[in-house]
Amino acid sequence: MDERGDEREREDWRSRALQVGVTLPVLVYLAVTLPARSDELLRGDVLLFALAVAIVDLIPVPGWGGLQLSLSFPILLGAAIVFPPPVAAAIAFVGSMDPREFRREVPLLRALFNRGQMAASTLAGSLLFHQLADARGSVPRFVLGVLAAALAAYSLNALAVAAHHAVLRRVGVWRVLRAMHGAAPYEFLMAYLGLGLFGSVIARFYLSEGFWSVAVFLGPLVVAREMYFRNRALADRLAEQNRLLAEQAARLEELLEKEHRAVDELRELNRMKGEFVAVVSHELRTPVTALLGYAKTLRQPGFADDATLREEFLERMERQGERLLRLVENLLTVSRIESRELPLSIGRVLFEDVVREVLEALAPEAGRVTVRIPDELPVLATDRQLLARVLQNLLDNALKYSPEDSPCEVEARAEDGWLTFCVRDHGIGIPPEEVPRIFDRFYQVDQSSTRAFRGVGLGLSLVRDLVQHLGGGVEVDSVVGQGSCFTVRIPLRHPRLAAPVAVPGDVAADA
Ligand code: ADP
């Protein structure tokens, strides 16, 4: 098991103390025990074992994070079985290579610690094996000894690596051990026990055939490890691609969902368009039919001489004509607002003039309207036509949605640079839950085809847009069965006029 720590971790005195605490006893042990075995050490096979460990360690493996399955482990365990403990430890110390040592990426003490802990765990494995079994002894005892040795070596090694990480990161050893083993807590242990059995085969081959058989045995093992890691890297890449694909699929699903919603909205718009055409046609047909009817009646010879009747019919025709005109003008204004082509023509405007003009157009129903405007109301600098359209639509509704004999009121006052006027009726009122929607285009509280009131659902949306165009806002206060009050607030001087000077004659400012 190698230690591939995060290089950004900083060594401090604690980690150095741990490194020295592990390395020094190992070195002292080797220094004390090895001189007596110097002839054994110089045997070619010992060097070959150390060389095999070094070569295996130096062959790069594709990293995949966490612990590395080390192939040097079975060779070292083979050495622990074949050689006496001090010699096996020396092989581990000399042979354990870390490629980073050659690139000078690890400090000397850390390199010594890495080698020291490998030597210590090999030593522990070797001591245990030689206590329990004999390299050439019976197979059951031999296997038992190998497994015990593998377990001891693995545990000591894992503990040393974890302790070092724990000191570096200032966390508990147990936590590091858990993190190191991740989602597969026993997988590594089993893998190392399996590698330990490989070590036993290496040892037996070596004892019966010599080192050449170890080399032949190791070759396929190295290749197998290489393939394992390649597969592993491939599997990781596939998993990553799968994750990306799943992400893209989720995004596509989201887009599809949006698309569905857009299609639904378009369908709804289309339905509304159809409905709108039907409603508008109906609204247009009524006055046109009336106009034709009056015209035809007037043509009849009996009417030509009756001046009073003729006058009355002409008046009715005029009213129907006005109504038709209002509807067409509303439609035109909506279309201009939609295409952002609504002109703004700012000039001097007297509010009472606007009221009079609108009431005249609404006659004779306008007789129900009481006007309360103070005499000293200031002259406005705003768009007269748009303001008239606002008042006209509000009054039209007030008269329409209240009984024919009930009064309606227009009141106005000016303060702090604003004109506030309200149009009040004592009619059917608006249910509170409908109030937020009545300013929407084409929205009508009563949407049934048997509606009692004429209209296409454009008036209030126009009022809202036009008032905004004049730089103000509109609010409604209504009680069902008692009536409604629409309050409009617009600036005395349209915001488009820069300096607050006396308003000149007629100022045109097209939008
Ligand atoms: P419509 O052409 O239907 O009058 P509007 O946009 O002018 O369309 O008004 C939208 C809806 O708000 C109307 O259908 C009506 O239900 C409601 N409404 C508007 N003004 C009044 C009012 N003064 N009293 C009661 N209900 C009103």
Side-chain angles (χ1 to χ4, degrees):
M1 196 185 302
D2 295 345
E3 189 187 10
R4 304 272 146 105
D6 185 342
E7 295 308 325
R8 285 165 304 176
E9 288 161 349
R10 295 264 316 272
E11 307 265 10
D12 65 359
W13 66 268
R14 287 185 196 83
S15 67
R16 288 203 190 92
L18 177 77
Q19 290 167 4
V20 171
V22 170
T23 314
L24 198 61
V26 172
L27 286 176
V28 170
Y29 173 82
L30 291 179
V32 171
T33 52
L34 285 182
R37 299 181 179 272
S38 54
D39 48 335
E40 266 176 88
L41 274 181
L42 293 176
R43 269 176 41 203
D45 287 358
V46 173
L47 294 178
L48 283 177
F49 260 92
L51 195 66
V53 173
I55 289 172
V56 164
D57 269 352
L58 289 176
I59 294 175
V61 283
W64 52 288
L67 294 175
Q68 306 287 321
L69 261 188
S70 166
L71 247 199
S72 54
F73 185 76
I75 310 175
L76 287 174
L77 206 72
I81 295 165
V82 173
F83 299 108
V87 178
I91 289 173
F93 194 85
V94 173
S96 293
M97 295 285 174
D98 180 342
R100 291 173 306 172
E101 285 177 19
F102 294 94
R103 299 197 295 265
R104 294 179 188 276
E105 286 172 7
V106 275
L108 180 64
L109 184 58
R110 177 101 172 239
L112 286 174
F113 166 71
N114 284 341
R115 287 164 178 268
Q117 52 102 352
M118 289 305 287
S121 41
T122 308
L123 180 64
S126 186
L127 283 170
L128 198 62
F129 177 81
H130 290 292
Q131 280 294 315
L132 297 174
D134 176 19
R136 293 177 197 272
S138 70
V139 173
R141 268 193 83 123
F142 177 76
V143 169
L144 188 77
V146 168
L147 289 178
L151 189 64
Y154 169 77
S155 308
L156 207 68
N157 186 208
L159 199 67
V161 171
H164 189 225
H165 273 286
V167 168
L168 282 180
R169 293 181 194 163
R170 308 265 159 81
V171 287
V173 176
W174 183 238
R175 216 174 114 190
V176 179
L177 271 174
R178 276 219 312 266
M180 272 160 65
H181 291 76
Y186 305 112
E187 209 177 70
F188 265 95
L189 178 63
M190 297 314 287
Y192 270 81
L193 289 182
L195 284 175
L197 289 178
F198 268 119
S200 70
V201 176
I202 287 175
R204 287 284 188 153
F205 266 152
Y206 169 74
L207 290 174
S208 61
E209 299 294 334
F211 190 82
W212 71 269
S213 62
V214 176
V216 169
F217 182 73
L218 275 177
L221 255 184
V222 169
V223 173
R225 178 182 69 163
E226 204 64 15
M227 279 166 64
Y228 169 78
F229 278 110
R230 268 180 218 283
N231 275 344
R232 180 91 201 195
L234 206 67
D236 283 355
R237 269 219 307 281
L238 277 176
E240 175 63 14
Q241 276 172 3
N242 271 346
R243 198 185 56 74
L244 286 177
L245 276 176
E247 248 175 48
Q248 278 172 358
R251 266 215 300 280
L252 275 178
E253 214 163 289
E254 215 172 275
L255 285 177
L256 209 66
E257 181 67 24
K258 266 195 196 144
E259 179 95 7
H260 279 314
R261 277 204 298 274
V263 168
D264 284 350
E265 263 169 37
L266 280 177
R267 277 210 190 105
E268 174 63 10
L269 280 178
N270 205 26
R271 189 192 62 75
M272 279 168 67
K273 191 189 80 187
E275 206 170 89
F276 173 69
V277 170
V279 171
V280 169
S281 314
H282 176 79
E283 289 296 313
L284 287 173
R285 212 176 62 177
T286 314
V288 170
T289 315
L291 277 173
L292 284 174
Y294 292 136
K296 274 181 189 155
T297 317
L298 278 178
R299 266 177 184 273
Q300 286 173 14
F303 284 88
D305 306 329
D306 191 336
T308 331
L309 213 58
R310 218 182 55 212
E311 191 56 33
E312 189 192 325
F313 268 55
L314 282 174
E315 207 175 276
R316 284 190 198 172
M317 287 175 79
E318 220 173 309
R319 274 213 310 277
Q320 294 294 348
E322 296 268 11
R323 185 176 149 196
L324 202 59
L325 188 66
R326 282 204 297 278
L327 177 61
V328 173
E329 272 179 348
N330 273 355
L331 288 172
L332 266 176
T333 312
V334 167
S335 131
R336 284 195 184 129
I337 289 174
E338 301 261 281
S339 55
R340 298 175 188 283
E341 281 170 5
L342 187 67
L344 188 68
S345 175
I346 301 175
R348 288 165 63 89
V349 181
L350 277 173
F351 187 63
E352 52 261 48
D353 286 354
V354 175
V355 176
R356 193 177 330 107
E357 179 189 310
V358 170
L359 288 179
E360 270 166 19
L362 288 173
E365 279 182 283
R368 288 161 52 198
V369 181
T370 313
V371 180
R372 285 193 207 105
I373 302 178
D375 293 338
E376 70 283 6
L377 212 55
V379 178
L380 300 162
T382 191
D383 187 309
R384 181 194 181 99
Q385 278 208 340
L386 301 191
L387 182 57
R389 189 71 55 73
V390 169
L391 188 64
Q392 186 188 61
N393 275 294
L394 290 177
L395 270 173
D396 205 12
N397 280 349
L399 295 167
K400 188 164 64 172
Y401 296 109
S402 63
E404 275 181 20
D405 52 355
S406 81
C408 299
E409 289 102 35
V410 177
E411 288 167 13
R413 64 176 192 278
E415 57 188 18
D416 302 333
W418 291 83
L419 170 79
T420 306
F421 66 91
C422 66
V423 178
R424 184 178 300 116
D425 65 64
H426 305 278
I428 60 171
I430 304 162
E433 69 276 10
E434 300 283 354
V435 168
R437 303 197 57 190
I438 52 170
F439 290 97
D440 291 352
R441 280 240 202 298
F442 309 130
Y443 189 77
Q444 296 180 304
V445 173
D446 178 4
Q447 313 235 16
S448 66
S449 56
T450 54
R451 282 187 320 119
F453 305 99
R454 60 187 167 77
V456 291
L458 274 181
L460 287 184
S461 78
L462 256 185
V463 166
R464 184 201 53 198
D465 291 349
L466 294 180
V467 169
Q468 270 175 13
H469 215 54
L470 296 177
V474 56
E475 281 172 9
V476 60
D477 195 4
S478 184
V479 178
V480 174
Q482 290 188 23
S484 314
C485 178
F486 285 82
T487 307
V488 174
R489 236 167 83 85
I490 55 164
L492 293 175
R493 290 177 55 79
H494 192 281
R496 202 168 277 184
L497 294 175
V501 289
V503 183
D506 263 353
V507 189
D510 274 1

